[in-house]
Amino acid sequence: ILITGGSGMVGSAFNRINTQDHFFALLSSQDADLRNSYAAGAAMHDWEPDAIIHLAAKVGGVKGNMERVAEFFEDNILINTNVLKEARHYSERRIAAGKPPVKVLSLLSTCIYPDDVQYPLTTDQIHNGPPHPSNFGYAYAKRMLDVHTRAIAQQFDMHWITAVPNNIFGENDNFSLEHSHVVPALIRKIYDAKLTGNPVILWGDGTALREFTYSTDIANILLWMVQNYNDPEPMNIGNHVQHCIKDVAELICNILDYPYDAILWDTDQPTGQLKKPSDNSKFLQMNDFKYTTLYDGLKKTCDWYIANYPRVRGVS
Ligand code: NDP
């Protein structure tokens, strides 16, 4: 199974899957810059995968998405178009040689849903209005990944599929203060405060509710989907348990042995939307999956962070 984005947070979680039955070829941008179609085709030619789990993307936080919105659109459109188009050509060569077509599973994100949407998020709403203005370049490129997947499934009768995770966290995340997501940002800030004695200042009042899924769970679910899911309709796969940001911060404080009461909440800054629940009932009807608890996932992530500090992406 060829994993594009294999050096990233989700891709590297495939190293933690316990299986004798599969070999994962983890591809980084150094191995193949997928903005280049020749590189994408060459990767398939070299590895001859039976399946492709397409994770590679230009990913970032709010700041990066806003300041470099055109690059987020261009890079992701190019990466996705090249991977799917080259995989289609590769699949046609396999069929001509009497082999089954390659299966392709691509990752979308709950942040591509419309800004004005009915909760919980259901996949039939993905294209029902503009995404949040802060990430429209990334979001429209991801939406086209859904469109491209469906078009190939329809025209070429291939069971290509997409999955929609919510906030993912885990080992090998990006811990940059400027470009990280909420969990790595909290771990970084709290650990820095422990080392330096400087206070932790967090935006808002911490009451916003969010869903979080541990990266190894996502890797296991994607492997299951490649083998068991054939519907071109995307499927929400994230853990639907909601946690307020305050509780996430408190868990991380407990794990890192830092006093939670020392955190300062800057309530002049926005708290964010109160909640953004997603509906994963279709997945849970098909698979009795037991998600890793938030505490257990955070503990593994923090232990990894401490063991690797400061040689951690976004720190040094
Ligand atoms: P990371 O930023 O950790 O990893 C991104 C991966 O994409 C890296 O392997 C990177 O390679 C690769 N990549 C980037 N640009 C290129 C390129 N031009 N050519 C080839 N490879 C490239 O991202 P995550 O692991 O967090 O995300 C994986 C997927 O999950 C993405 O599709 C993302 O949209 C999706 N997702 C992530 C969520 C999250 O909370 N993190 C939430 C929902 C969806 P290199 O290391 O060489 O730079």
Side-chain angles (χ1 to χ4, degrees), residues 4-12 27-36 54-60 75-76 79 107-111 138 142 145 164-169 172-174 181 313:
T4 74
S7 52
M9 187 233 318
V10 180
S12 58
L27 210 65
S28 74
S29 65
Q30 308 293 315
D31 303 319
D33 185 338
L34 298 169
R35 291 172 300 182
N36 177 325
H54 172 41
L55 310 174
K58 187 178 184 72
V59 178
D75 283 7
N76 285 312
I79 291 169
L107 215 52
L108 308 177
S109 168
T110 49
C111 71
Y138 171 87
K142 281 277 187 197
L145 183 54
V164 192
N166 43 28
N167 294 295
I168 311 172
F169 69 96
N172 204 30
D173 205 342
N174 184 350
H181 295 119
R313 183 158 56 125

Side-chain angles (χ1 to χ4, degrees), residues 274-307:
L274 193 58
K275 53 184 178 177
K276 298 179 169 185
S278 63
D279 177 359
N280 66 354
S281 55
K282 180 176 176 179
F283 169 59
L284 290 181
Q285 276 162 20
M286 297 179 72
N287 184 332
D288 183 23
F289 189 80
K290 299 284 176 282
Y291 290 97
T292 302
T293 64
L294 181 62
Y295 177 85
D296 286 350
L298 289 175
K299 176 83 173 86
K300 287 178 177 153
T301 309
C302 289
D303 287 351
W304 176 90
Y305 184 81
I306 294 167

Side-chain angles (χ1 to χ4, degrees), residues 10 12 22 32 43 59 63 66 86 141 147 168 183 186-187 195 224-225 241 285 293 302:
V10 180
S12 58
H22 303 283
V59 178
K63 191 167 184 285
M66 287 180 77
E86 292 303 324
V147 171
I168 311 172
V183 167
L186 287 172
I187 293 174
L195 294 183
W224 174 85
M225 278 183 77
V241 177
Q285 276 162 20
T293 64
C302 289

